[in-house]
Amino acid sequence: MLVRSFLVLALLVAGCSSSSPAAGPGASVVDGGGGAPSTDSGAPKCGAGLSLSPGDVLTDVGALRGTPIGGTWAYLNVPFAAPPVGDLRWKPPVDLSCWEGIRDATAFGPACPQSDATGTAPVVGDEDCLELNVWTPAAPGDGPLPVLFWIHGGGFTGGSAAEQNTGVRIYDGQLLAEKTHSVVVTTNYRLGVLGFLALPELAAEASDGGTGNYGFLDQLAALRFVKRNIAAFGGDPSRVAIAGESAGGASVCMLVASPLSRGLFAAAVMESGGCKANTLSQAEAFGATVVTAAHCDGAGDVPACLRAVAPDAMVSAVPVEIDVAGATGPYGGVIDQAFLPDAPLTLVRNGAHQHVPMIVGSNSDETSRTVPLPPTATDAQYQAAVKTLLGPIAPAVLAEYPSTDFASPWAAYVAMTSDAKFTCGARRAIVALVGAQAEPVYRYFFTHALDDAPKSRPFGAWHGIDVLYLFEHTNVAGYVPSAGEVGLSDAMGRYWTSLAGTGTPSADGEPAWPPSDAQDSYLELATPRAVGAGVRTKYCDFWDQYAL
């Protein structure tokens, strides 16, 4: 899980760093002068008669007071839907009513209720969590700016748009917005049992029969808010790219596949995500265990019984462990005939998805921090671990991944699980997309290990490390990036936001990124960047025979 991967870095290097915001723009947003955001979103306004100060923004549900941070204006804890509490729990998000006055948007809001990667820690967060954050350049220049809409990871059970590690907000978009001259949005969405519980009783309540995809419906609601209002922040509603990593990357795949997201974004970035969804029967079978654990299996009205359970008790009813290197958890996309009428890649192969240019990729050593083997593991331990994980297909996998082909049995297990769960899944999604749409798909492979962290270098490019580079937060835990790593951060930000702005990822002084093709062309994200063909081809050919 992403935040847990970051914690590892915190243990390896000491200290943390901080920065002070530079002076912000001096002109009022009312007249649009001095580079401040424009108040003209093209949408009906609430509070149109208010007297606004420099930096205030008027949305279709009310006015916001942001704060200048560095070369940006930041608007934090901006609600995009009514709190999903009481009777609204396990319902599609409901539009907000206008708020009165000017809402303070200068501090981050709460995470949605969650435990930890084991599912057993005390629950934190608040059900009133449907909020997003916006960073916009203080001097946007001519014309509206491209928008990068970020969806956080966390195994669909944890994380938030305000994720913090050793004093660093991992998804703080200030530097990314400043350096790429784009608008950055990060969003929360309901998690775990509160976001992805599927039950026939909940489907019966829905006008479209949908169930289990409430967290994705939150993401759609946030995108609709952006569509209506991002012009007020200087953004271009026609140039929005959705992006995310891990569960956020899987969210991108679900949104691309869903018929409900039509017209809400113009490009997409899937980092270390997946495109698998649970069948309705699988999701409802797990949901039944939740009903029993919450002591609602004998209730005449199961949804009412569940809605009466406190959120912390609801989250703790059936602990769910998230394992980057292991089996996929029970929460995520559900084939419910509404949000997701078929398996995501089936929708893609049939051309029923959103046809947009995309970036898709993964890291070379995704599972290195979470495999159940120590680096000193023996071959016997490696074979036992593979048999435990993969059961009947273990002999074929061990024949394909003999430990003697790798630096160690541990390295073999990392390679095998990284290929099976991430690298080859990315190729499978890319092949489906390329075969079903005219819009280009660009593949990357992130391979860079930290230059100046000797204890972490053996773990390579682990799950989530790419996010530190994209958001320019490699300073987490006091790490000082090398000049090459600063250049890698800069390149990623420019490639990503160029996709949002033009549909093509490009960056001056960087290699031209070729679209993926029959040769599996890709861009290696390392120091320096390089173009190649074929990522782990032999192994992905092997895994394709086991793909559904």
Side-chain angles (χ1 to χ4, degrees):
M1 204 146 99
L2 180 57
V3 63
R4 282 88 195 176
S5 298
F6 294 152
L7 287 171
V8 175
L9 181 55
L11 296 174
L12 295 172
V13 289
C16 63
S17 62
S18 62
S19 59
S20 300
S28 168
V29 338
V30 176
D31 59 20
S38 165
T39 57
D40 183 11
S41 70
K45 305 293 196 309
C46 299
L50 293 171
S51 177
L52 301 182
S53 300
D56 293 350
V57 164
L58 198 57
T59 74
D60 64 348
V61 285
L64 296 166
R65 178 151 293 159
T67 185
I69 301 177
T72 69
W73 282 87
Y75 303 86
L76 310 176
N77 194 26
V78 178
F80 61 83
V85 299
D87 289 342
L88 296 184
R89 187 189 281 180
W90 299 301
K91 293 281 184 69
V94 172
D95 289 342
L96 284 167
S97 300
C98 295
W99 59 72
E100 295 184 1
I102 301 174
R103 179 185 172 93
D104 182 86
T106 60
F108 286 102
C112 294
Q114 58 192 269
S115 180
D116 67 351
T118 69
T120 59
V123 174
V124 298
D126 193 312
E127 277 193 282
D128 184 1
C129 61
L130 297 187
E131 52 84 16
L132 53 78
N133 310 297
V134 183
W135 291 264
T136 188
D142 296 332
L145 302 176
V147 180
L148 191 70
F149 177 96
W150 181 262
I151 305 168
H152 72 80
F156 294 113
T157 64
S160 81
E163 197 69 69
Q164 190 169 197
N165 181 269
T166 63
V168 176
R169 299 279 184 181
I170 300 303
Y171 307 119
D172 186 307
Q174 176 212 333
L175 295 176
L176 181 59
E178 278 182 19
K179 294 191 175 185
T180 64
H181 214 61
S182 60
V183 178
V184 176
V185 179
T186 64
T187 191
N188 276 355
Y189 54 96
R190 281 173 282 181
L191 301 168
V193 69
L194 298 174
F196 300 97
L197 177 67
L199 292 172
E201 294 88 348
L202 294 176
E205 291 182 342
S207 60
D208 60 3
T211 182
N213 290 308
Y214 309 103
F216 298 129
L217 298 181
D218 295 340
Q219 295 168 13
L220 289 176
L223 281 166
R224 286 192 289 270
F225 179 92
V226 167
K227 187 80 170 179
R228 298 192 309 269
N229 292 291
I230 203 63
F233 300 90
D236 187 342
S238 70
R239 295 194 295 164
V240 175
I242 59 172
E245 187 270 347
S246 195
S251 296
V252 168
C253 183
M254 303 302 147
L255 292 172
V256 167
S258 175
L260 302 187
S261 62
R262 189 159 291 114
L264 293 177
F265 52 87
V269 182
M270 187 172 83
E271 301 179 37
S272 302
C275 286
K276 286 189 175 181
N278 291 316
T279 65
L280 186 59
S281 60
Q282 289 171 330
E284 288 184 342
F286 181 78
T289 68
V290 173
V291 172
T292 299
H295 308 294
C296 289
D297 46 328
D301 186 336
V302 169
C305 179
L306 291 173
R307 288 179 177 122
V309 177
D312 56 345
M314 200 69 251
V315 172
S316 301
V318 179
V320 171
E321 184 172 359
I322 302 301
D323 183 1
V324 171
T328 302
Y331 295 124
V334 178
I335 302 171
D336 67 344
Q337 305 306 314
F339 172 78
L340 207 60
D342 208 333
L345 288 188
T346 299
L347 291 167
V348 170
R349 293 181 182 115
N350 291 339
H353 66 297
Q354 310 309 313
H355 293 220
V356 296
M358 290 186 66
I359 290 172
V360 179
S362 60
N363 299 350
S364 55
D365 309 283
E366 295 273 7
T367 65
S368 62
R369 288 297 184 187
T370 54
V371 295
L373 289 176
T376 56
T378 65
D379 181 70
Q381 290 174 309
Y382 165 63
Q383 292 195 37
V386 173
K387 291 173 183 176
T388 298
L389 178 66
L390 298 174
I393 69 167
V397 173
L398 289 168
E400 188 69 23
Y401 290 84
S403 64
T404 52
D405 283 2
F406 299 86
S408 66
W410 173 84
Y413 197 91
V414 170
M416 182 272 291
T417 50
S418 296
D419 287 347
K421 198 166 182 182
F422 296 97
T423 307
C424 302
R427 189 182 81 162
R428 204 167 298 123
I430 291 166
V431 169
L433 288 160
V434 170
Q437 66 179 43
E439 293 75 8
V441 181
Y442 301 89
R443 184 175 194 180
Y444 74 84
F445 196 46
F446 188 103
T447 63
H448 182 74
L450 292 171
D451 284 331
D452 194 25
K455 292 182 179 179
S456 76
R457 283 192 63 80
F459 295 91
W462 66 80
H463 188 67
I465 195 172
D466 51 311
V467 178
L468 297 175
Y469 286 88
L470 177 63
F471 281 88
E472 308 225 9
H473 292 320
T474 50
N475 63 330
V476 67
Y479 180 78
V480 179
S482 66
E485 290 169 334
V486 171
L488 177 56
S489 286
D490 179 69
M492 287 183 67
R494 288 188 291 145
Y495 278 129
W496 266 228
T497 55
S498 173
L499 182 81
T502 69
T504 302
S506 62
D508 290 344
E510 295 290 341
W513 192 339
S516 188
D517 53 21
Q519 285 70 48
D520 191 22
S521 296
Y522 71 98
L523 179 70
E524 183 179 6
L525 292 176
T527 53
R529 273 59 66 203
V531 172
V535 178
R536 309 281 293 167
T537 302
K538 168 181 178 290
Y539 298 106
C540 290
D541 289 346
F542 168 79
W543 284 112
D544 276 352
Q545 67 185 304
Y546 297 104
L548 298 178

